[in-house]
């Protein structure tokens, strides 16, 4: 087996142990005589898989018992609509912080379902920093404050959850959930597509405090209604069973690593190593305000953009792949999620130093 170091922003690298276990269990799961892919979602085997995954996730994040944990479909992009459909119907005000491309998409989508108010916009600083909270202008009577803790494309991360002016705090944690411990009690609702830091594409996690759900059911399809999905244990209809199972294997792997405190320390170290290498050279640069630099997605540029193609080709030759920046920003981006080992980051750093010597 020859595996590369995969720096893709998503779908992204998964732990090798998880892939090996999924491989072993692929044709036949634990004496059931069938693959997880072939099981009824209502049968006892899948029920055991689903329950264990939820219990492990609750342990990892220390989720209070009262919070609902939902395993949904549609990705984070569907949540851009479901959040206002559930929490701000009909046409209530909802406040949004705009820190970059994913916030902007959430804002645009929400506009069809609620009265969107942007509390602050990082545009003046080219989304390389976050406007100071004293300047945030929260709308009175907001159903919630929505923000994007980690902007996957810009590489901007808000390391502490902001105070939400008394409204429920809603967070799109697609590219940061499980990268470190968080205090779930600070949030009214957290959502995350799995394919960055959690598992395979196809399952979307929603963690929601029951008190933020509306007293009367919203006039939307049941499969979009958080309260209805919670009552049905995420099985109103067929859930993404295989993705749920693999996410569950990732949760078990995280527990074996020592949980999120240990993971957070490793992630902090990986990010520090890479930013130090970038800052220590005149050849590479990262534009983000150091206090908001992402631990998960590290964009960087080369002093001569003409060398980008050579950089990518040479990197790929030595097994460092998917380093091309997002098509909207160019440059490079190294996504260093939980499953990227420290050695992967160290190998990238030595390659970068070597490349600089030869081309700098
Ligand atoms: C990838 C990503 C999304 C979009 O996720 P989909 O599952 O493709 O809809 C939304 N928000 C953030 C922060 C992301 O990183």
């Amino acid at each position: 087996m020859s595996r590369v170091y995969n720096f893709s922003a998503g779908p992204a690298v998964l732990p090798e142990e998880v892939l090996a276990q999924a491989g072993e269990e692929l044709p036949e799961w634990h004496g059931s005589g069938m693959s997880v892919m072939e099981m009824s979602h209502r049968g006892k085997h899948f029920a055991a898989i689903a329950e264990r995954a939820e219990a492990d996730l609750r342990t990892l994040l220390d989720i209070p018992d009262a919070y609902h944990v939902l395993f949904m479909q549609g990705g984070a992009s569907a949540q851009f609509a479901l959040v206002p459909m559930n929490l701000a119907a009909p046409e209530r005000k909802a406040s949004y912080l705009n820190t970059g491309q994913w916030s902007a998409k959430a804002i645009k989508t929400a506009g069809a379902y609620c009265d969107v108010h942007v509390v602050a916009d990082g545009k003046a600083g080219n989304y390389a920093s976050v406007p100071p909270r004293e300047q945030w202008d929260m709308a009175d009577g907001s159903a919630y404050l929505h923000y994007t803790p980690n902007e996957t494309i810009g590489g901007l991360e808000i390391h502490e959850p902001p105070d939400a002016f008394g409204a429920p705090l809603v967070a799109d944690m697609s590219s940061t959930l499980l990268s470190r411990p968080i205090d779930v009690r600070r949030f009214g609702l957290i959502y995350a597509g799995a394919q960055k830091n959690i598992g395979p594409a196809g399952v979307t996690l929603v963690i929601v405090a029951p008190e933020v759900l509306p007293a009367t059911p919203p006039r939307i399809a049941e499969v979009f209604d958080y309260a209805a999905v919670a009552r049905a244990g995420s099985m109103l209809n067929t859930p993404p069973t295989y993705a749920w199972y693999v996410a569950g294997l990732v949760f078990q792997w995280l527990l074996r690593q020592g949980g999120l405190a240990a993971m957070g320390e490793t992630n902090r170290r990986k990010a520090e190593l890479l930013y130090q290498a970038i800052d220590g050279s005149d050849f590479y640069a990262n534009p983000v305000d150091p206090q908001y630099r992402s631990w998960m997605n590290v964009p960087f540029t080369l002093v001569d953009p003409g060398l980008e193609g050579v950089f990518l080709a040479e990197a790929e030759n030595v097994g460092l792949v998917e380093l091309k920046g997002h098509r909207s920003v160019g440059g490079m981006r190294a996504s260093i999620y939980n499953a990227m080992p420290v050695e992967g980051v160290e190998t990238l750093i030595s390659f970068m130093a070597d490349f600089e010597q030869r081309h700098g």
Side-chain angles (χ1 to χ4, degrees):
M1 189 167 66
S2 142
R3 296 212 1 121
V4 292
Y5 287 121
N6 174 7
F7 294 92
S8 170
V13 57
L14 285 165
E16 262 175 38
E17 275 178 45
V18 165
L19 297 175
Q21 187 178 349
E24 247 165 61
E25 296 177 348
L26 182 71
E28 200 249 323
W29 185 83
H30 296 207
S32 64
M34 60 181 89
S35 171
V36 174
M37 277 186 252
E38 304 168 302
M39 287 174 182
S40 163
H41 57 294
R42 305 202 187 276
K44 66 175 182 203
H45 300 300
F46 191 75
I49 290 169
E51 275 166 31
R52 166 107 194 250
E54 180 176 334
D56 286 345
L57 182 66
R58 285 180 180 275
T59 303
L60 282 166
L61 282 165
D62 188 22
I63 301 173
D65 290 345
Y67 277 62
H68 303 302
V69 173
L70 314 178
F71 292 79
M72 299 184 74
Q73 305 199 40
S77 301
Q79 297 302 321
F80 293 164
L82 299 192
V83 166
M85 282 160 76
N86 278 272
L87 306 190
E91 297 286 317
R92 273 184 71 188
K93 270 188 203 150
S95 291
Y96 281 74
L97 176 66
N98 189 355
T99 51
Q101 293 198 37
W102 286 116
S103 317
K105 286 213 166 121
I107 289 167
K108 185 160 177 241
T109 304
Y113 306 99
C114 65
D115 180 3
V116 169
H117 172 78
V118 176
V119 296
D121 191 315
K123 190 171 179 8
N126 210 14
Y127 299 106
S129 192
V130 178
R133 192 175 166 289
E134 307 81 72
Q135 291 172 13
W136 297 8
D137 160 38
M138 183 82 174
D140 286 339
S142 281
Y144 55 82
L145 171 64
H146 179 285
Y147 82 119
T148 311
N150 188 65
E151 287 283 357
T152 320
I153 297 171
L156 179 89
E157 185 157 10
I158 299 174
H159 296 281
E160 281 297 319
D163 171 56
F165 307 87
L169 184 60
V170 174
D172 172 5
M173 293 214 177
S174 294
S175 49
T176 181
L177 190 68
L178 303 181
S179 67
R180 67 174 87 188
I182 53 167
D183 182 0
V184 172
R185 291 162 190 81
R186 297 281 303 271
F187 298 89
L189 189 146
I190 291 167
Y191 62 91
Q195 70 274 18
K196 279 42 182 282
N197 203 33
I198 298 167
V203 66
T204 310
L205 298 182
V206 178
I207 301 167
V208 56
E211 62 269 21
V212 308
L213 297 175
T216 45
R219 294 175 58 86
I220 54 180
E222 250 195 326
V223 290
F224 300 150
D225 177 341
Y226 293 136
V229 174
R231 278 193 301 276
S234 304
M235 297 204 196
L236 272 173
N237 65 330
T238 317
T241 50
Y242 197 75
W244 187 333
Y245 153 76
V246 178
L249 297 184
V250 173
F251 303 155
Q252 292 171 31
W253 176 80
L254 284 167
L255 289 167
R256 290 198 299 276
Q257 306 308 300
L260 300 190
M263 213 62 239
E265 270 319 299
T266 308
N267 286 328
R268 178 207 297 278
R269 199 163 120 237
K270 280 161 23 189
E272 267 172 17
L273 287 172
L274 188 48
Y275 287 115
Q276 268 166 19
I278 293 167
D279 290 344
S281 94
D282 299 325
F283 190 79
Y284 303 104
N286 168 281
V288 179
D289 180 347
Q291 60 174 315
Y292 293 112
R293 282 173 165 180
S294 170
W295 289 8
M296 295 281 101
N297 311 96
V298 182
F300 61 94
T301 50
L302 274 59
V303 81
D304 173 6
L307 284 172
E308 285 175 3
V310 192
F311 181 94
L312 289 168
E314 289 192 11
E316 189 159 340
N317 277 340
V318 295
L320 302 164
V321 310
E322 300 280 3
L323 284 163
K324 195 171 165 56
H326 189 267
R327 58 188 186 279
S328 65
V329 291
M332 305 295 145
R333 173 176 51 173
S335 295
I336 51 175
Y337 298 119
N338 286 343
M340 173 58 64
V342 179
E343 304 80 71
V345 174
E346 288 168 346
T347 309
L348 172 62
I349 291 169
S350 353
F351 168 76
M352 287 167 70
D354 178 61
F355 187 86
E356 177 177 353
Q357 277 220 314
R358 287 181 291 107
H359 296 276

